[in-house]
Structure formats: C-alpha cells, structure tokens
Amino acid sequence: MRVLGIETSCDETGIAIYDEQLGIMAHQLYSQVALHADYGGVVPELASRDHIRKTIPLIDAALREAGCTKDDIDGVAFTAGPGLMGALLVGATIGRSLAFAWDKPAVAVHHMEGHLLAPMLEERAPAFPFVALLVSGGHTLLVRVDGIGRYEILGESVDDAAGEAFDKTAKLMGLDYPGGPRLAKLAEQGEANRFKFPRPMTDKPGLDFSFSGLKTATATAIANETKLAANGPVDEQTRADIAHAFQQAVVDTLAIKCKRALLHTGLNRLVVAGGVSANVSLRAQLSELMASLKGEAFYPRNEYCTDNGAMIAFAGLQRLKAGDVEPLAVRARPRWPLDELTAVD
C-alpha cells in the first residue's frame, strides 16, 4: 500500500509518499520562514496563499522523486487539523479533490497523531505502550499511547505551549523569526547559574504545564538588565546567559513532568516528538532521565520533528488500512482533541 501525504497546517508545505514495504519514497518540503520573517510571526492569510501556490508543484515533484504516477497511489492523506483554518482548507481541498479525481480513498489525519507516530519512521521504532511528550509551537501534551488511536491525555499546557514560549521569549530578546531555534543557539553560549527562573507547576501534583509565567520572569530579567545598562542594549553574554536560563527552565520542567508521567503509568518507554523535540539540550536531559529509569527514549530524525508530509503519509496509511476514510465533503478542524480519535485495531 502506498499513500501520498499532504501537510499544510501552518507555515510549511510538506508532501511525501510512503510505501508500506519500501518506506519513504519521496519527501518534499517548502518552508515559509522567509515569507513571514518581516512580520515576526506567521500571518495566516499569507500562509494560506503560499500553500495554494506550492502544494501542487510539490506533489508533482514528489511523484517524480518516487518514480510513480497517480496510478501507483493507493490513497491520499491530508492534515485536517488542528492548525490554521485557511491553511488546513488548502491541503484538505487539494487532497480530497485529488482523491476524487484519481478514484482513490481520502484520509483525514490529525496533525498531532502525525507527530506522535513520526518516530515509527525510524529503524528503531518504539513498541506500544509508551508515554509520548508532544512539544511544538502550538501544543505541549503528555499522552499515554496503548496503540494507534488509543490515547489518554495525561497532561497539557494550560496557556503557552513550550514552542510558543520559546518564540515569544526570543522576540522579547530581539531575536529574528523564527525565534525558538535562534534562542536555543544563543543559549549554547550562556553560562549556567547566573540567572535562575522558575520551573512552573513542578511544586504541585499533576502533569499539566504552564509557561506564561516563565516568559514573564524572563521579560523581567531582560528589563532589569536593560536598566543596569543605563537603558542601553544588553551585552551579548548577558543575553546568552538569560537564554540559557530560560531554556534550562523549560527543559527541566518537561523532564520533571515526563518522569512523573512514567512513574504514574509504570511505563519505561518515552517518545518525544514535535518541533521542540529537536532541541539538543532537551534530548540530552531526557536521554539521561531514561537511562536512570532503565528505559528508552525515542525521537524522530530532525527533518521529521517539524511539520512534514512523511508523518502524515505514514499516519494516513495506518488509518487507511483500518478503513478510516473521508466522505466526499471537505472538512477541516482547527481545534481537534487528540483523544477523540478512534482506535485502529
């Protein structure tokens, strides 16, 4: 079975072809970073228009890369949510239309299920059950995973997601868009222990997250250092030290909650996925955590951490095999709880 995957939930147009026997046959990705850079963040209308321009050419490129035609495709999978409504509708409309024109089944994929299953694309794939930490610009979730579609939400962010906190804090520090990766890079030059920020919601039971207060604490530190510099620019080392302290607070918080979730469930496998899962400091700390618990940590390769068509094609194939196909109507869900998905038996 071979599936074409289409991802257009935010600011990346991702197209891939996944074959059940051969694996990833084609992987095309276009990032809109340059388009949104002047605005310091994603502009939904511009994102939607750019997906319209790029999706069909990337599908053509993926078919050429895989050396196949529409006749070799057994189904078309597209991200139906969550995400930006306009961007989702581009992928859903194109995907559903292609499936109709090609007389193939269409599959609506949950964006976060795609991320959750991305480590399955690796040679060393996790076995069920496991705990998953999904960390991206829009979501921070801890999930018990007993199978595809068998999800129990253990904890989630009550305000800013981890990736969103990275981006907003980077903007406070004057870093260019996309800020999260730039802040992480700056943090590599920072010295530990000069600044100390809170580890939110770790002093009380539960597995939910909150990062807005951490962002405020960082903003206060920046303001204080600006005053000390006589309202001039904060020196580069101080900025790096603040970035280091912020990143360490986020990483520590995620690690504390992951350990708590693993002990709560009695599981010893941890899957980490989503854009923030590429963070080097986070991977190092979670790998140390799993070693201390005599467990294993699983991650997708970096190119599958951010939004991409490969994870959508893979998730779509699993759903297609179970007969979970879309009716003719085009539907998109900007909000779509992960635990509403049906199980794949």
Side-chain angles (χ1 to χ4, degrees):
M1 188 173 287
R2 188 174 295 175
V3 170
L4 170 71
I6 302 172
E7 157 59 25
T8 64
S9 66
C10 190
D11 60 342
E12 273 126 1
T13 311
I15 308 296
I17 296 173
Y18 182 84
D19 184 277
E20 190 172 15
Q21 302 299 323
L22 302 175
I24 296 295
M25 298 182 65
H27 183 228
Q28 298 285 326
L29 183 67
Y30 176 80
S31 173
Q32 298 178 0
V33 165
L35 177 67
H36 301 288
D38 289 343
Y39 305 95
V42 177
V43 181
E45 178 64 19
L46 294 180
S48 302
R49 293 184 182 199
D50 208 49
H51 286 309
I52 292 171
R53 286 190 288 265
K54 298 297 192 300
T55 302
I56 293 297
L58 287 176
I59 291 172
D60 289 339
L63 289 169
R64 289 194 300 271
E65 181 185 348
C68 61
T69 69
K70 62 182 178 61
D71 297 326
D72 301 309
I73 301 297
D74 298 302
V76 179
F78 55 86
T79 302
L84 301 176
M85 187 60 173
L88 290 169
L89 280 172
V90 174
T93 302
I94 292 174
R96 192 64 195 84
S97 300
L98 280 181
F100 177 75
W102 294 351
D103 194 23
K104 311 290 183 180
V107 185
V109 174
H110 191 291
H111 181 71
M112 296 312 293
E113 182 171 57
H115 276 303
L116 189 152
L117 298 178
M120 301 288 186
L121 294 166
E122 304 303 322
E123 186 174 339
R124 190 177 75 92
F128 300 115
F130 55 78
V131 170
L133 172 66
L134 302 179
V135 275
S136 67
H139 300 83
T140 303
L141 293 170
L142 273 170
V143 187
R144 178 186 172 120
V145 181
D146 289 299
I148 298 176
R150 300 184 184 276
Y151 308 132
E152 177 190 355
I153 306 299
L154 302 173
E156 58 190 326
S157 181
V158 299
D159 42 53
D160 291 349
E164 184 180 7
F166 262 95
D167 288 338
K168 287 182 176 179
T169 301
K171 194 169 186 177
L172 288 172
M173 298 182 68
L175 298 174
D176 292 335
Y177 171 84
R182 296 180 189 277
L183 188 151
K185 187 68 175 177
L186 180 62
E188 294 177 4
Q189 312 303 318
E191 297 179 4
N193 303 320
R194 180 178 172 188
F195 295 93
K196 181 72 173 179
F197 296 142
R199 275 59 176 162
M201 297 182 70
T202 58
D203 58 348
K204 58 181 69 175
L207 295 168
D208 286 337
F209 303 90
S210 172
F211 293 107
S212 62
L214 174 58
K215 180 188 64 183
T216 301
T218 309
T220 300
I222 295 170
N224 290 339
E225 291 301 317
T226 301
K227 288 180 182 178
L228 290 174
N231 293 317
V234 177
D235 66 87
E236 191 67 12
Q237 186 59 54
T238 297
R239 294 170 75 245
D241 293 344
I242 291 173
H244 184 280
F246 169 83
Q247 176 175 262
Q248 196 57 54
V250 173
V251 169
D252 285 349
T253 300
L254 294 173
I256 289 167
K257 293 301 180 89
C258 283
K259 181 177 181 179
R260 197 175 288 178
L262 291 161
L263 295 176
H264 170 74
T265 59
L267 300 176
N268 68 347
R269 284 186 290 271
L270 177 68
V271 160
V272 189
V276 183
S277 70
N279 183 280
V280 175
S281 181
L282 178 63
R283 289 197 178 204
Q285 191 152 327
L286 291 179
S287 294
E288 288 180 11
L289 168 65
M290 296 313 296
S292 72
L293 297 176
K294 296 181 171 52
E296 293 182 277
F298 299 85
Y299 312 90
R301 71 193 73 171
N302 282 355
E303 63 187 302
Y304 298 151
C305 288
T306 53
D307 296 347
N308 64 87
M311 66 183 191
I312 302 305
F314 179 82
L317 186 141
Q318 312 312 312
R319 293 269 162 198
L320 181 58
K321 286 167 60 178
D324 190 358
V325 299
E326 276 291 277
L328 190 57
V330 175
R331 298 184 296 177
R333 298 183 61 178
R335 295 185 182 276
W336 188 2
L338 183 65
D339 53 2
E340 287 186 2
L341 295 177
T342 57
V344 172
D345 295 323

